[in-house]
Amino acid sequence: MTNVKQNLEQIQQRMQSASNRANRKLEDITLIAVTKEVSVNRTNEVIENRVMHLGENRPEGLKKKLDAISSDVQWHYIGSLQTRKVKSVINHIKYLHSLDRMSLADEIEKRATSTKDCFVQVNVSQEESKHGLPYDEVEAFIDQLHNHEKIRVIGLMTMAPNTEDDTIIRNVFQKLKQLQSKIAAKQIVNAPCTELSMGMSGDFEIAIEEGATFIRIGTALVGKEKEGIE
């Protein structure tokens, strides 16, 4: 049986250690609990432990949690979002971590009732299996968003390759940090790009060391319970 409280304590200790190594402040890093495959009960257990940033990756999963959870949660949509699903998602979330194409930006502009904080998803590792813009197309994409008043690009997001080679993972995170800093230096009004969403259960410590401000933790926090179990 997964004990969310114990898991959270261990994760927070590891976050603190990684922050210390990087000479960073722990409070500058936001933990997102990825609840995409766990029950409402398990999700409520996360909330009871005062983790209020929750991540879902499917419209159906998000709706299920929204219907059942009344707490003041900040919802993050962390999966690839189909254009036709924007209407059912965008006004229920605080953050979108997967902006990766102009058709999606256009639909958000059309459907959002307020400005949304978005991360541009970048495929730094150039893997065919991953979503996201190619690294060298990100700046031009953001420049094209200047007329999208409902989109505020607060940062960049990436997923590291599935490898046990920490050097490869670290290089991916370093490259994203370099790009984020370059864009932030432009001081674009609708794209401050001060944030980095990177790091998951297996690599969040490296991500923190390389500048992550949002980390997305699923299994290490909530276990492997499958959705549908109440």
PDB file of all heavy atoms in Angstrom, residues 9 14 20 42 46 48 51-52 58 63 66 79 85 101 106 117 119 123 125 128 134 156 170 172 178 199 201-202 228:
ATOM      1  N   GLU A   9       7.677  12.867   2.151  1.00  0.00           N
ATOM      2  CA  GLU A   9       8.796  13.248   3.026  1.00  0.00           C
ATOM      3  C   GLU A   9      10.133  12.895   2.392  1.00  0.00           C
ATOM      4  O   GLU A   9      11.086  13.688   2.434  1.00  0.00           O
ATOM      5  CB  GLU A   9       8.650  12.558   4.386  1.00  0.00           C
ATOM      6  CG  GLU A   9       7.500  13.128   5.229  1.00  0.00           C
ATOM      7  CD  GLU A   9       7.261  12.323   6.496  1.00  0.00           C
ATOM      8  OE1 GLU A   9       7.877  11.231   6.637  1.00  0.00           O
ATOM      9  OE2 GLU A   9       6.462  12.779   7.343  1.00  0.00           O
ATOM     10  N   ARG A  14      14.969  14.705  -0.741  1.00  0.00           N
ATOM     11  CA  ARG A  14      15.804  14.639  -1.941  1.00  0.00           C
ATOM     12  C   ARG A  14      15.796  15.971  -2.688  1.00  0.00           C
ATOM     13  O   ARG A  14      16.826  16.400  -3.234  1.00  0.00           O
ATOM     14  CB  ARG A  14      15.317  13.505  -2.842  1.00  0.00           C
ATOM     15  CG  ARG A  14      15.534  12.120  -2.245  1.00  0.00           C
ATOM     16  CD  ARG A  14      14.774  11.054  -3.006  1.00  0.00           C
ATOM     17  NE  ARG A  14      15.235  10.908  -4.376  1.00  0.00           N
ATOM     18  CZ  ARG A  14      14.611  10.144  -5.282  1.00  0.00           C
ATOM     19  NH1 ARG A  14      13.507   9.473  -4.950  1.00  0.00           N
ATOM     20  NH2 ARG A  14      15.094  10.055  -6.505  1.00  0.00           N
ATOM     21  N   ASN A  20      20.406  22.142  -2.296  1.00  0.00           N
ATOM     22  CA  ASN A  20      21.636  22.515  -1.608  1.00  0.00           C
ATOM     23  C   ASN A  20      22.845  22.374  -2.524  1.00  0.00           C
ATOM     24  O   ASN A  20      23.734  23.241  -2.545  1.00  0.00           O
ATOM     25  CB  ASN A  20      21.826  21.656  -0.355  1.00  0.00           C
ATOM     26  CG  ASN A  20      20.808  21.961   0.732  1.00  0.00           C
ATOM     27  OD1 ASN A  20      20.144  23.001   0.701  1.00  0.00           O
ATOM     28  ND2 ASN A  20      20.669  21.060   1.693  1.00  0.00           N
ATOM     29  N   ARG A  42      -6.829   8.419  -3.742  1.00  0.00           N
ATOM     30  CA  ARG A  42      -5.384   8.637  -3.660  1.00  0.00           C
ATOM     31  C   ARG A  42      -5.061  10.116  -3.908  1.00  0.00           C
ATOM     32  O   ARG A  42      -4.173  10.679  -3.253  1.00  0.00           O
ATOM     33  CB  ARG A  42      -4.666   7.749  -4.688  1.00  0.00           C
ATOM     34  CG  ARG A  42      -3.141   7.843  -4.684  1.00  0.00           C
ATOM     35  CD  ARG A  42      -2.502   7.336  -3.394  1.00  0.00           C
ATOM     36  NE  ARG A  42      -2.908   5.979  -3.070  1.00  0.00           N
ATOM     37  CZ  ARG A  42      -2.423   4.865  -3.638  1.00  0.00           C
ATOM     38  NH1 ARG A  42      -1.476   4.955  -4.549  1.00  0.00           N
ATOM     39  NH2 ARG A  42      -2.857   3.682  -3.271  1.00  0.00           N
ATOM     40  N   VAL A  46      -3.118  13.003  -1.479  1.00  0.00           N
ATOM     41  CA  VAL A  46      -2.078  13.967  -1.854  1.00  0.00           C
ATOM     42  C   VAL A  46      -2.439  15.361  -1.346  1.00  0.00           C
ATOM     43  O   VAL A  46      -1.615  16.070  -0.750  1.00  0.00           O
ATOM     44  CB  VAL A  46      -1.900  13.980  -3.387  1.00  0.00           C
ATOM     45  CG1 VAL A  46      -0.982  15.118  -3.814  1.00  0.00           C
ATOM     46  CG2 VAL A  46      -1.348  12.644  -3.882  1.00  0.00           C
ATOM     47  N   GLU A  48      -4.439  16.145   1.086  1.00  0.00           N
ATOM     48  CA  GLU A  48      -4.388  16.163   2.553  1.00  0.00           C
ATOM     49  C   GLU A  48      -2.970  16.406   3.061  1.00  0.00           C
ATOM     50  O   GLU A  48      -2.777  16.908   4.176  1.00  0.00           O
ATOM     51  CB  GLU A  48      -4.926  14.839   3.112  1.00  0.00           C
ATOM     52  CG  GLU A  48      -6.440  14.699   2.968  1.00  0.00           C
ATOM     53  CD  GLU A  48      -6.909  13.267   3.185  1.00  0.00           C
ATOM     54  OE1 GLU A  48      -6.068  12.411   3.546  1.00  0.00           O
ATOM     55  OE2 GLU A  48      -8.109  13.016   2.987  1.00  0.00           O
ATOM     56  N   VAL A  51      -0.118  19.088  -0.879  1.00  0.00           N
ATOM     57  CA  VAL A  51       0.405  19.258  -2.238  1.00  0.00           C
ATOM     58  C   VAL A  51      -0.785  19.695  -3.090  1.00  0.00           C
ATOM     59  O   VAL A  51      -1.708  18.917  -3.316  1.00  0.00           O
ATOM     60  CB  VAL A  51       1.010  17.960  -2.790  1.00  0.00           C
ATOM     61  CG1 VAL A  51       1.486  18.167  -4.224  1.00  0.00           C
ATOM     62  CG2 VAL A  51       2.169  17.498  -1.911  1.00  0.00           C
ATOM     63  N   MET A  52      -0.766  20.942  -3.519  1.00  0.00           N
ATOM     64  CA  MET A  52      -1.945  21.537  -4.158  1.00  0.00           C
ATOM     65  C   MET A  52      -1.781  21.746  -5.663  1.00  0.00           C
ATOM     66  O   MET A  52      -2.679  22.264  -6.318  1.00  0.00           O
ATOM     67  CB  MET A  52      -2.287  22.873  -3.487  1.00  0.00           C
ATOM     68  CG  MET A  52      -2.488  22.770  -1.983  1.00  0.00           C
ATOM     69  SD  MET A  52      -3.732  21.547  -1.479  1.00  0.00           S
ATOM     70  CE  MET A  52      -5.230  22.348  -2.046  1.00  0.00           C
ATOM     71  N   ARG A  58      -5.106  13.626 -19.477  1.00  0.00           N
ATOM     72  CA  ARG A  58      -6.215  13.306 -20.378  1.00  0.00           C
ATOM     73  C   ARG A  58      -7.436  14.125 -19.974  1.00  0.00           C
ATOM     74  O   ARG A  58      -7.714  14.280 -18.774  1.00  0.00           O
ATOM     75  CB  ARG A  58      -6.574  11.818 -20.318  1.00  0.00           C
ATOM     76  CG  ARG A  58      -5.501  10.880 -20.836  1.00  0.00           C
ATOM     77  CD  ARG A  58      -6.027   9.445 -20.941  1.00  0.00           C
ATOM     78  NE  ARG A  58      -6.506   8.973 -19.654  1.00  0.00           N
ATOM     79  CZ  ARG A  58      -7.774   8.642 -19.390  1.00  0.00           C
ATOM     80  NH1 ARG A  58      -8.705   8.763 -20.336  1.00  0.00           N
ATOM     81  NH2 ARG A  58      -8.135   8.214 -18.192  1.00  0.00           N
ATOM     82  N   LYS A  63     -11.584  15.680 -15.966  1.00  0.00           N
ATOM     83  CA  LYS A  63     -13.002  15.898 -15.641  1.00  0.00           C
ATOM     84  C   LYS A  63     -13.414  15.070 -14.431  1.00  0.00           C
ATOM     85  O   LYS A  63     -14.146  15.553 -13.550  1.00  0.00           O
ATOM     86  CB  LYS A  63     -13.883  15.557 -16.834  1.00  0.00           C
ATOM     87  CG  LYS A  63     -15.362  15.845 -16.584  1.00  0.00           C
ATOM     88  CD  LYS A  63     -16.211  15.521 -17.790  1.00  0.00           C
ATOM     89  CE  LYS A  63     -17.663  15.966 -17.568  1.00  0.00           C
ATOM     90  NZ  LYS A  63     -18.274  15.407 -16.349  1.00  0.00           N
ATOM     91  N   LEU A  66     -12.074  16.790 -11.389  1.00  0.00           N
ATOM     92  CA  LEU A  66     -12.765  18.059 -11.169  1.00  0.00           C
ATOM     93  C   LEU A  66     -14.145  17.838 -10.558  1.00  0.00           C
ATOM     94  O   LEU A  66     -14.571  18.587  -9.664  1.00  0.00           O
ATOM     95  CB  LEU A  66     -12.906  18.827 -12.492  1.00  0.00           C
ATOM     96  CG  LEU A  66     -11.648  19.474 -13.063  1.00  0.00           C
ATOM     97  CD1 LEU A  66     -11.905  19.936 -14.493  1.00  0.00           C
ATOM     98  CD2 LEU A  66     -11.209  20.647 -12.207  1.00  0.00           C
ATOM     99  N   GLY A  79      -0.193  16.549 -20.487  1.00  0.00           N
ATOM    100  CA  GLY A  79      -0.121  15.665 -21.647  1.00  0.00           C
ATOM    101  C   GLY A  79      -0.315  16.424 -22.949  1.00  0.00           C
ATOM    102  O   GLY A  79      -0.672  17.603 -22.966  1.00  0.00           O
ATOM    103  N   LYS A  85      -9.920  18.979 -28.217  1.00  0.00           N
ATOM    104  CA  LYS A  85     -10.203  18.811 -26.796  1.00  0.00           C
ATOM    105  C   LYS A  85      -9.948  20.089 -25.989  1.00  0.00           C
ATOM    106  O   LYS A  85     -10.191  20.121 -24.781  1.00  0.00           O
ATOM    107  CB  LYS A  85      -9.341  17.686 -26.217  1.00  0.00           C
ATOM    108  CG  LYS A  85      -9.603  16.307 -26.811  1.00  0.00           C
ATOM    109  CD  LYS A  85     -10.894  15.723 -26.277  1.00  0.00           C
ATOM    110  CE  LYS A  85     -11.051  14.263 -26.699  1.00  0.00           C
ATOM    111  NZ  LYS A  85     -12.278  13.654 -26.130  1.00  0.00           N
ATOM    112  N   ARG A 101       2.403  23.682 -30.962  1.00  0.00           N
ATOM    113  CA  ARG A 101       2.082  23.929 -32.364  1.00  0.00           C
ATOM    114  C   ARG A 101       1.122  25.117 -32.457  1.00  0.00           C
ATOM    115  O   ARG A 101       0.379  25.415 -31.520  1.00  0.00           O
ATOM    116  CB  ARG A 101       1.474  22.693 -33.025  1.00  0.00           C
ATOM    117  CG  ARG A 101       0.192  22.210 -32.376  1.00  0.00           C
ATOM    118  CD  ARG A 101      -0.163  20.794 -32.798  1.00  0.00           C
ATOM    119  NE  ARG A 101      -1.467  20.386 -32.285  1.00  0.00           N
ATOM    120  CZ  ARG A 101      -1.688  19.972 -31.041  1.00  0.00           C
ATOM    121  NH1 ARG A 101      -0.698  19.913 -30.174  1.00  0.00           N
ATOM    122  NH2 ARG A 101      -2.905  19.608 -30.661  1.00  0.00           N
ATOM    123  N   ASP A 106      -3.813  28.696 -31.562  1.00  0.00           N
ATOM    124  CA  ASP A 106      -4.979  29.375 -32.143  1.00  0.00           C
ATOM    125  C   ASP A 106      -6.264  28.943 -31.450  1.00  0.00           C
ATOM    126  O   ASP A 106      -7.147  29.773 -31.184  1.00  0.00           O
ATOM    127  CB  ASP A 106      -5.078  29.068 -33.637  1.00  0.00           C
ATOM    128  CG  ASP A 106      -3.971  29.715 -34.453  1.00  0.00           C
ATOM    129  OD1 ASP A 106      -3.322  30.643 -33.940  1.00  0.00           O
ATOM    130  OD2 ASP A 106      -3.741  29.267 -35.600  1.00  0.00           O
ATOM    131  N   ASP A 117      -1.306  30.434 -18.404  1.00  0.00           N
ATOM    132  CA  ASP A 117       0.138  30.233 -18.272  1.00  0.00           C
ATOM    133  C   ASP A 117       0.533  28.951 -18.992  1.00  0.00           C
ATOM    134  O   ASP A 117       0.050  27.865 -18.646  1.00  0.00           O
ATOM    135  CB  ASP A 117       0.532  30.135 -16.796  1.00  0.00           C
ATOM    136  CG  ASP A 117       0.417  31.469 -16.083  1.00  0.00           C
ATOM    137  OD1 ASP A 117       0.430  32.508 -16.769  1.00  0.00           O
ATOM    138  OD2 ASP A 117       0.322  31.477 -14.845  1.00  0.00           O
ATOM    139  N   PHE A 119       3.625  26.439 -20.912  1.00  0.00           N
ATOM    140  CA  PHE A 119       5.000  26.044 -21.181  1.00  0.00           C
ATOM    141  C   PHE A 119       5.057  25.550 -22.622  1.00  0.00           C
ATOM    142  O   PHE A 119       4.225  24.747 -23.036  1.00  0.00           O
ATOM    143  CB  PHE A 119       5.430  24.892 -20.265  1.00  0.00           C
ATOM    144  CG  PHE A 119       5.577  25.252 -18.816  1.00  0.00           C
ATOM    145  CD1 PHE A 119       4.482  25.212 -17.962  1.00  0.00           C
ATOM    146  CD2 PHE A 119       6.814  25.616 -18.301  1.00  0.00           C
ATOM    147  CE1 PHE A 119       4.611  25.532 -16.624  1.00  0.00           C
ATOM    148  CE2 PHE A 119       6.956  25.935 -16.959  1.00  0.00           C
ATOM    149  CZ  PHE A 119       5.848  25.899 -16.114  1.00  0.00           C
ATOM    150  N   ASN A 123      11.280  19.210 -27.698  1.00  0.00           N
ATOM    151  CA  ASN A 123      11.830  17.861 -27.850  1.00  0.00           C
ATOM    152  C   ASN A 123      13.350  17.972 -27.959  1.00  0.00           C
ATOM    153  O   ASN A 123      13.928  17.855 -29.035  1.00  0.00           O
ATOM    154  CB  ASN A 123      11.232  17.177 -29.077  1.00  0.00           C
ATOM    155  CG  ASN A 123      11.631  15.710 -29.188  1.00  0.00           C
ATOM    156  OD1 ASN A 123      12.433  15.199 -28.400  1.00  0.00           O
ATOM    157  ND2 ASN A 123      11.067  15.023 -30.159  1.00  0.00           N
ATOM    158  N   SER A 125      15.737  16.064 -26.893  1.00  0.00           N
ATOM    159  CA  SER A 125      16.461  14.827 -27.209  1.00  0.00           C
ATOM    160  C   SER A 125      16.217  14.332 -28.629  1.00  0.00           C
ATOM    161  O   SER A 125      16.820  13.351 -29.061  1.00  0.00           O
ATOM    162  CB  SER A 125      16.078  13.729 -26.217  1.00  0.00           C
ATOM    163  OG  SER A 125      14.671  13.500 -26.237  1.00  0.00           O
ATOM    164  N   GLU A 128      11.740  10.505 -31.775  1.00  0.00           N
ATOM    165  CA  GLU A 128      10.511  10.462 -32.557  1.00  0.00           C
ATOM    166  C   GLU A 128       9.300  10.145 -31.694  1.00  0.00           C
ATOM    167  O   GLU A 128       8.168  10.529 -32.022  1.00  0.00           O
ATOM    168  CB  GLU A 128      10.639   9.432 -33.684  1.00  0.00           C
ATOM    169  CG  GLU A 128      11.632   9.830 -34.767  1.00  0.00           C
ATOM    170  CD  GLU A 128      11.654   8.845 -35.920  1.00  0.00           C
ATOM    171  OE1 GLU A 128      10.826   7.906 -35.909  1.00  0.00           O
ATOM    172  OE2 GLU A 128      12.488   9.006 -36.829  1.00  0.00           O
ATOM    173  N   PRO A 134      10.992  21.024 -32.211  1.00  0.00           N
ATOM    174  CA  PRO A 134      12.446  20.899 -32.303  1.00  0.00           C
ATOM    175  C   PRO A 134      13.108  22.088 -31.622  1.00  0.00           C
ATOM    176  O   PRO A 134      12.591  23.215 -31.646  1.00  0.00           O
ATOM    177  CB  PRO A 134      12.694  20.912 -33.818  1.00  0.00           C
ATOM    178  CG  PRO A 134      11.409  20.473 -34.428  1.00  0.00           C
ATOM    179  CD  PRO A 134      10.342  21.012 -33.534  1.00  0.00           C
ATOM    180  N   LEU A 156       9.565  26.832 -20.458  1.00  0.00           N
ATOM    181  CA  LEU A 156       9.751  25.707 -21.380  1.00  0.00           C
ATOM    182  C   LEU A 156       9.633  24.396 -20.619  1.00  0.00           C
ATOM    183  O   LEU A 156       9.938  24.326 -19.434  1.00  0.00           O
ATOM    184  CB  LEU A 156      11.123  25.790 -22.051  1.00  0.00           C
ATOM    185  CG  LEU A 156      11.479  27.091 -22.768  1.00  0.00           C
ATOM    186  CD1 LEU A 156      12.883  27.002 -23.357  1.00  0.00           C
ATOM    187  CD2 LEU A 156      10.451  27.437 -23.841  1.00  0.00           C
ATOM    188  N   ARG A 170      21.403  14.983 -17.983  1.00  0.00           N
ATOM    189  CA  ARG A 170      21.868  16.307 -17.558  1.00  0.00           C
ATOM    190  C   ARG A 170      22.070  17.228 -18.769  1.00  0.00           C
ATOM    191  O   ARG A 170      21.747  18.427 -18.711  1.00  0.00           O
ATOM    192  CB  ARG A 170      23.169  16.172 -16.762  1.00  0.00           C
ATOM    193  CG  ARG A 170      23.580  17.458 -16.043  1.00  0.00           C
ATOM    194  CD  ARG A 170      24.814  17.221 -15.179  1.00  0.00           C
ATOM    195  NE  ARG A 170      24.588  16.258 -14.120  1.00  0.00           N
ATOM    196  CZ  ARG A 170      24.021  16.545 -12.949  1.00  0.00           C
ATOM    197  NH1 ARG A 170      23.598  17.772 -12.702  1.00  0.00           N
ATOM    198  NH2 ARG A 170      23.861  15.606 -12.033  1.00  0.00           N
ATOM    199  N   VAL A 172      20.467  17.210 -21.602  1.00  0.00           N
ATOM    200  CA  VAL A 172      19.148  17.645 -22.082  1.00  0.00           C
ATOM    201  C   VAL A 172      18.634  18.797 -21.229  1.00  0.00           C
ATOM    202  O   VAL A 172      18.162  19.822 -21.744  1.00  0.00           O
ATOM    203  CB  VAL A 172      18.151  16.466 -22.073  1.00  0.00           C
ATOM    204  CG1 VAL A 172      16.713  16.949 -22.231  1.00  0.00           C
ATOM    205  CG2 VAL A 172      18.490  15.478 -23.179  1.00  0.00           C
ATOM    206  N   GLN A 178      19.573  26.677 -21.075  1.00  0.00           N
ATOM    207  CA  GLN A 178      20.233  27.667 -21.919  1.00  0.00           C
ATOM    208  C   GLN A 178      19.231  28.378 -22.827  1.00  0.00           C
ATOM    209  O   GLN A 178      19.278  29.609 -22.991  1.00  0.00           O
ATOM    210  CB  GLN A 178      21.324  26.994 -22.763  1.00  0.00           C
ATOM    211  CG  GLN A 178      22.522  26.506 -21.951  1.00  0.00           C
ATOM    212  CD  GLN A 178      23.417  25.565 -22.740  1.00  0.00           C
ATOM    213  OE1 GLN A 178      23.204  25.328 -23.938  1.00  0.00           O
ATOM    214  NE2 GLN A 178      24.424  25.011 -22.080  1.00  0.00           N
ATOM    215  N   GLY A 199      11.953  17.224 -15.196  1.00  0.00           N
ATOM    216  CA  GLY A 199      12.245  16.338 -14.080  1.00  0.00           C
ATOM    217  C   GLY A 199      11.028  15.552 -13.658  1.00  0.00           C
ATOM    218  O   GLY A 199       9.959  16.118 -13.407  1.00  0.00           O
ATOM    219  N   SER A 201       9.930  11.338 -11.790  1.00  0.00           N
ATOM    220  CA  SER A 201      10.311  10.492 -10.651  1.00  0.00           C
ATOM    221  C   SER A 201      11.752  10.006 -10.714  1.00  0.00           C
ATOM    222  O   SER A 201      12.434   9.947  -9.696  1.00  0.00           O
ATOM    223  CB  SER A 201       9.370   9.282 -10.564  1.00  0.00           C
ATOM    224  OG  SER A 201       8.083   9.664 -10.141  1.00  0.00           O
ATOM    225  N   GLY A 202      12.228   9.687 -11.906  1.00  0.00           N
ATOM    226  CA  GLY A 202      13.550   9.095 -12.018  1.00  0.00           C
ATOM    227  C   GLY A 202      14.696  10.070 -12.175  1.00  0.00           C
ATOM    228  O   GLY A 202      15.860   9.672 -12.072  1.00  0.00           O
ATOM    229  N   GLY A 228      -9.436   4.359 -11.764  1.00  0.00           N
ATOM    230  CA  GLY A 228     -10.664   3.565 -11.733  1.00  0.00           C
ATOM    231  C   GLY A 228     -10.839   2.863 -10.411  1.00  0.00           C
ATOM    232  O   GLY A 228     -11.949   2.462 -10.043  1.00  0.00           O
TER     233      GLY A 228
END
